[in-house]
CSV table of all heavy atoms in Angstrom, one decimal:
chain,number,residue,atom,x,y,z
Q,189,VAL,N,233.2,66.1,116.7
Q,189,VAL,CA,232.1,67.1,116.5
Q,189,VAL,C,231.7,67.6,117.9
Q,189,VAL,O,232.0,67.0,118.9
Q,189,VAL,CB,230.9,66.5,115.8
Q,189,VAL,CG1,231.3,66.0,114.4
Q,189,VAL,CG2,230.3,65.3,116.6
Q,190,ASP,N,231.1,68.8,117.8
Q,190,ASP,CA,230.7,69.4,119.1
Q,190,ASP,C,231.8,69.6,120.1
Q,190,ASP,O,231.7,69.4,121.3
Q,190,ASP,CB,229.5,68.6,119.8
Q,190,ASP,CG,228.3,68.7,119.0
Q,190,ASP,OD1,228.1,69.6,118.1
Q,190,ASP,OD2,227.4,67.8,119.2
Q,191,ARG,N,232.9,70.0,119.5
Q,191,ARG,CA,234.2,70.1,120.3
Q,191,ARG,C,234.1,71.4,121.1
Q,191,ARG,O,233.8,72.5,120.6
Q,191,ARG,CB,235.4,70.1,119.4
Q,191,ARG,CG,236.7,70.2,120.1
Q,191,ARG,CD,237.9,70.0,119.2
Q,191,ARG,NE,239.2,70.2,119.8
Q,191,ARG,CZ,240.3,69.9,119.2
Q,191,ARG,NH1,240.4,69.5,118.0
Q,191,ARG,NH2,241.5,70.1,119.9
Q,192,THR,N,234.5,71.3,122.4
Q,192,THR,CA,234.6,72.5,123.2
Q,192,THR,C,235.9,72.5,123.9
Q,192,THR,O,236.6,71.5,124.1
Q,192,THR,CB,233.5,72.6,124.3
Q,192,THR,OG1,233.7,71.5,125.2
Q,192,THR,CG2,232.1,72.4,123.7
Q,193,ALA,N,236.4,73.7,124.3
Q,193,ALA,CA,237.7,73.9,125.0
Q,193,ALA,C,237.6,75.2,125.8
Q,193,ALA,O,237.2,76.2,125.2
Q,193,ALA,CB,238.8,73.9,124.0
Q,194,GLU,N,238.0,75.1,127.1
Q,194,GLU,CA,237.9,76.3,127.9
Q,194,GLU,C,238.7,76.1,129.2
Q,194,GLU,O,239.0,74.9,129.6
Q,194,GLU,CB,236.5,76.7,128.3
Q,194,GLU,CG,235.8,75.5,129.1
Q,194,GLU,CD,234.4,75.9,129.5
Q,194,GLU,OE1,234.1,77.1,129.6
Q,194,GLU,OE2,233.6,75.0,129.8
Q,195,TYR,N,239.0,77.2,129.9
Q,195,TYR,CA,239.5,77.1,131.2
Q,195,TYR,C,238.3,77.0,132.2
Q,195,TYR,O,237.4,77.8,132.1
Q,195,TYR,CB,240.4,78.3,131.6
Q,195,TYR,CG,241.7,78.3,131.0
Q,195,TYR,CD1,242.0,79.1,130.0
Q,195,TYR,CD2,242.7,77.5,131.5
Q,195,TYR,CE1,243.3,79.1,129.4
Q,195,TYR,CE2,244.0,77.5,131.0
Q,195,TYR,CZ,244.3,78.3,129.9
Q,195,TYR,OH,245.5,78.3,129.4
Q,196,MET,N,238.3,76.0,133.0
Q,196,MET,CA,237.2,75.8,134.0
Q,196,MET,C,237.2,76.9,135.0
Q,196,MET,O,238.2,77.1,135.7
Q,196,MET,CB,237.3,74.4,134.6
Q,196,MET,CG,236.1,74.0,135.4
Q,196,MET,SD,236.2,72.3,135.9
Q,196,MET,CE,237.8,72.2,136.7
Q,197,PRO,N,236.1,77.6,135.2
Q,197,PRO,CA,236.0,78.7,136.2
Q,197,PRO,C,236.4,78.1,137.6
Q,197,PRO,O,235.9,77.0,138.0
Q,197,PRO,CB,234.6,79.1,136.1
Q,197,PRO,CG,234.1,78.7,134.8
Q,197,PRO,CD,234.8,77.5,134.5
Q,198,GLY,N,237.2,78.9,138.4
Q,198,GLY,CA,237.4,78.6,139.7
Q,198,GLY,C,238.6,77.6,139.9
Q,198,GLY,O,238.9,77.3,141.1
Q,199,ALA,N,239.1,77.0,138.9
Q,199,ALA,CA,240.2,76.0,139.0
Q,199,ALA,C,241.5,76.7,138.6
Q,199,ALA,O,241.6,77.6,137.8
Q,199,ALA,CB,239.9,74.9,138.0
Q,200,PRO,N,242.6,76.3,139.3
Q,200,PRO,CA,243.9,76.8,138.9
Q,200,PRO,C,244.2,76.5,137.4
Q,200,PRO,O,243.8,75.4,136.9
Q,200,PRO,CB,244.9,75.9,139.7
Q,200,PRO,CG,244.1,75.5,140.9
Q,200,PRO,CD,242.7,75.3,140.4
Q,201,SER,N,244.8,77.4,136.7
Q,201,SER,CA,244.9,77.3,135.2
Q,201,SER,C,245.7,76.0,134.8
Q,201,SER,O,245.3,75.4,133.8
Q,201,SER,CB,245.7,78.5,134.7
Q,201,SER,OG,245.0,79.7,134.9
Q,202,ILE,N,246.6,75.6,135.6
Q,202,ILE,CA,247.4,74.4,135.3
Q,202,ILE,C,246.6,73.1,135.3
Q,202,ILE,O,246.9,72.1,134.7
Q,202,ILE,CB,248.7,74.2,136.1
Q,202,ILE,CG1,248.3,74.1,137.6
Q,202,ILE,CG2,249.6,75.4,135.9
Q,202,ILE,CD1,249.5,73.6,138.5
Side-chain angles (χ1 to χ4, degrees):
V189 297
D190 294 339
R191 180 173 178 173
T192 67
E194 63 176 337
Y195 285 105
M196 188 169 58
S201 296
I202 62 170

